[in-house]
Amino acid sequence: MSDPLNGSRPAAALAGDGRIHAHVTGWGRYVPSQVLTNADLERMVDTNDEWIVSRTGIRERRVAAANETTASMGAVAALRAIRAAGIDPDEIDLILLATLTPDYWMPSTAALVKEAIGNTRAAAMDVAAACSGFVYGFATAQAWIASGLAQHVLVIGAELLTRFLDYTDRSTCILFGDGAGAAVLSASTEPGGGLGIELTTEPQGAYMIWLPAGGAKSPPSAETIARGEHFIRMEGKETYRFATRTLASTALESIRKSGLQPDDISLFIPHQANIRIIEAVAKGLNLPMDRMFVNLDRYGNTSAASVPIAMAEAVNEGRIKVGDRITIVAFGAGFTSGAVTIEWTADPARGRDADTAIRADDVHVRLPVDWDSVDPIPPALAELMARPSEVNPPLDDVVPGEPEPASQPLAR
């Protein structure tokens, strides 16, 4: 029987010992070039660098450009993951895109990414579990593969949160940033890959982190806009306390279901929300901080993109090697939480090669031809992005021009 990691089909034929394993074969990430530092925020809202760093660990975050969207960032990360996996985009059977900031309520952002990466055959859908979304998507992909329904599944976490922030609210605007990460899971009869899964939802915390308006309960209106109900709201103290306990317990349960102990885990990749939460989780698991991967100082909280960005960076930086066992764990609105323990089997060098091979400028998401968007950049960020910088690429051709008519008039 040929090796399923080299693209054999169908997955259901991979009987072997009766078990199909879901291996991570590709990973990738994308973050915008625009950096928003704590010093920048000091000029926008009543805060300061020392306060932000001491309470969150965040020093800067990334902000998407006017021509970037959740779909476009997700597509870049996806193509890098597919390149690292060594397969063709059309070999992907299922695309799962986790986000709380979709390009549109419909169609799904996953559908837009499918077209952008050149896939013609996959099913594609969005996953709505807030910051836990990528882990929920990973668990779903693992189940599809284990059941024989798919050979290769693409899981993406992508967020454009800076367009949903109130830049007069210093409790939220300092926390979030934009970006995307992705992973390819592939079927194999070889041991390894995804192991124990633990997912939870506690709806009693549903309104601790939420976006009040824009859905069916409170559709957009002049009144909801005037009341600022399209910005993220959060009860920080209660959320952080619950997050700390839940991250630790969810990670432990995933490890237990894998037949392992915390000491067996080479690296934990937690949701990058707050350094105090990560430090508390490490203490709760009786582990040193060097077993926790941290990059929130550079990106802030990127919600569903947080874990896949961190995982891709950890691999590319040499923190994860073949044979290592890692645990990804996240907590988000809902309240949701999720953890998956993974035995790593892929060559880490493939991710670095993919980052070089896939250029963001070469990836495009098709726009509608009969509708022209308003500028989505908040005024405070527009002013910042207009300032001179060390790199000033020409922008004349970046933003699409006037759309063509949806249809041509009939000839008479």
Side-chain angles (χ1 to χ4, degrees), residues 27 29 293-295 298-299 309-320 348 352:
W27 56 94
R29 65 143 183 69
F293 187 82
V294 177
N295 65 359
R298 290 177 286 129
Y299 304 126
I309 290 174
M311 185 172 73
E313 290 202 348
V315 180
N316 293 349
E317 293 174 5
R319 297 288 303 276
I320 299 173
R352 294 187 291 271

Side-chain angles (χ1 to χ4, degrees), residues 349-380:
R350 300 207 307 249
R352 294 187 291 271
D353 295 340
D355 275 0
T356 303
I358 303 298
R359 298 174 61 251
D361 291 344
D362 296 332
V363 182
H364 303 285
V365 175
R366 183 171 58 88
L367 298 174
V369 296
D370 59 347
W371 180 77
D372 190 18
S373 172
V374 297
D375 186 357
I377 302 295

